């Protein structure tokens, strides 16, 4: 069974707080790990696609790291802003059979 | 705008009926993926097509079927609809097989079965 787990399920922070989420995935048959940002009433948009163990990617205040050997990725948001409020999804590209499997997401709410 | 177009945006239908959801991928993208998002559930992978061929299957019910046409648009057919099929159905596309590239999502079709 391919299981992608994200924690926490939801997070409420104050503006300016830094935060991080975890994505756990099977460490075998790994090809890629995706992070997406999903705002209410919109469609998911890609943040990062990571393929190499030890990868670190950054986009503005958001960054992500990848550990394929132990099967986890972290997403960090530095100095959260209200516009960061969204659901953050990770997705595991399973190398056998070509499936992009999503976790349940972490819902972030940033209060001004 | 992701470039992926889904129609219709909303659909209300009765139990037992059949509906067809349509997806036009981004120009040039060969792969189309279908996902279902039910209440309090994440995105559940249904099926993937690559250049007209079925490539990967997830937890797709036997009452559901899909195909990808020569012009690369895809249709998801849902038949003998049940109340539990009410969900948001997304399609996404990628340029190739999708392994190392991000997926681009359509706006979704909200299906309500009454």
């Amino acid at each position: 069974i391919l299981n992608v787990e994200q924690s926490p399920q939801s997070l409420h922070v104050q503006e300016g707080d830094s935060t991080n989420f975890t994505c756990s995935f099977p460490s075998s048959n790994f090809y890629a790990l995706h992070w997406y940002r999903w705002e209410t009433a919109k469609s998911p948009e890609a943040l990062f696609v990571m393929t190499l163990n030890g990868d670190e990617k950054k986009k503005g205040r958001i960054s992500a790291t990848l550990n394929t050997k132990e099967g986890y990725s972290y997403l960090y948001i530095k100095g959260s802003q209200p516009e960061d409020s969204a659901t953050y999804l990770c997705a595991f590209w399973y190398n056998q059979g070509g499936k992009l499997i999503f976790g349940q997401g972490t819902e972030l709410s940033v209060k001004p | 705008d992701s470039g992926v177009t889904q129609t219709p945006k909303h659909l209300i239908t009765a139990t037992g009926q059949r509906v067809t959801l349509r997806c036009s991928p981004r120009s040039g993208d060969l792969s189309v993926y279908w996902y279902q998002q039910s209440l309090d559930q994440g995105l559940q992978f249904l099926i993937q097509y690559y250049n007209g061929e079925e490539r990967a299957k997830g937890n797709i019910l036997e009452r559901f079927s899909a195909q990808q046409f020569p012009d690369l648009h895809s249709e998801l057919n849902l038949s003998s609809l049940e109340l539990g099929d009410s969900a948001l159905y997304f399609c996404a596309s990628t340029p190739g097989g999708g392994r190392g590239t991000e997926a681009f999502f359509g706006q979704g079709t909200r299906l309500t079965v009454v």
Side-chain angles (χ1 to χ4, degrees):
Chain A
I1 295 177
L2 299 173
N3 220 19
V4 179
E5 308 253 353
Q6 290 190 247
S7 62
Q9 269 193 309
S10 64
L11 202 48
H12 299 267
V13 301
Q14 291 295 132
E15 183 174 355
D17 287 351
S18 291
T19 185
N20 66 83
F21 326 131
T22 304
C23 173
S24 301
F25 53 85
S27 53
S28 59
N29 294 306
F30 173 87
Y31 189 85
L33 193 284
H34 298 208
W35 280 100
Y36 290 81
R37 182 169 179 273
W38 191 4
E39 289 182 77
T40 303
K42 293 189 176 180
S43 50
E45 291 183 354
L47 290 169
F48 306 113
V49 175
M50 308 170 78
T51 57
L52 298 174
N53 184 41
D55 243 356
E56 290 189 26
K57 298 239 175 175
K58 189 173 180 184
K59 188 182 284 191
R61 294 178 292 99
I62 305 178
S63 60
T65 61
L66 178 67
N67 183 322
T68 60
K69 292 183 179 177
E70 295 181 42
Y72 65 84
S73 175
Y74 294 137
L75 187 78
Y76 301 92
I77 303 180
K78 187 176 176 183
S80 302
Q81 299 296 307
E83 57 266 30
D84 295 329
S85 296
T87 296
Y88 291 82
L89 299 166
C90 71
F92 167 73
W93 184 273
Y94 180 57
N95 203 23
Q96 302 254 340
K99 300 177 185 180
L100 187 60
I101 306 297
F102 280 82
Q104 297 276 76
T106 293
E107 188 178 353
L108 174 67
S109 173
V110 183
K111 290 186 180 175
Chain B
D1 180 6
S2 67
V4 179
T5 304
Q6 286 188 251
T7 56
K9 284 193 168 56
H10 302 276
L11 199 47
I12 301 175
T13 190
T15 54
Q17 294 298 305
R18 174 190 166 94
V19 297
T20 297
L21 312 184
R22 183 188 168 105
C23 170
S24 294
R26 286 190 327 154
S27 177
D29 282 1
L30 299 177
S31 281
V32 170
Y33 310 74
W34 286 98
Y35 290 89
Q36 178 193 56
Q37 195 222 359
S38 305
L39 198 63
D40 296 333
Q41 298 283 321
L43 288 171
Q44 300 295 313
F45 172 70
L46 295 177
I47 199 163
Q48 180 203 358
Y49 277 83
Y50 173 75
N51 203 21
E53 302 279 329
E54 182 187 302
R55 177 129 180 207
K57 227 170 182 175
N59 298 326
I60 188 167
L61 299 172
E62 283 190 15
R63 300 183 284 110
F64 295 2
S65 65
Q67 54 184 327
Q68 187 179 28
F69 293 87
D71 67 352
L72 300 176
H73 90 271
S74 178
E75 293 181 356
L76 179 67
N77 301 297
L78 315 177
S79 60
S80 303
L81 284 166
E82 302 174 0
L83 295 177
D85 297 327
S86 296
L88 190 53
Y89 290 85
F90 280 105
C91 89
S93 73
T94 57
R99 292 163 76 190
T101 58
E102 65 185 86
F104 293 86
F105 281 81
Q107 294 292 321
T109 293
R110 168 78 62 190
L111 173 66
T112 303
V113 183
V114 297

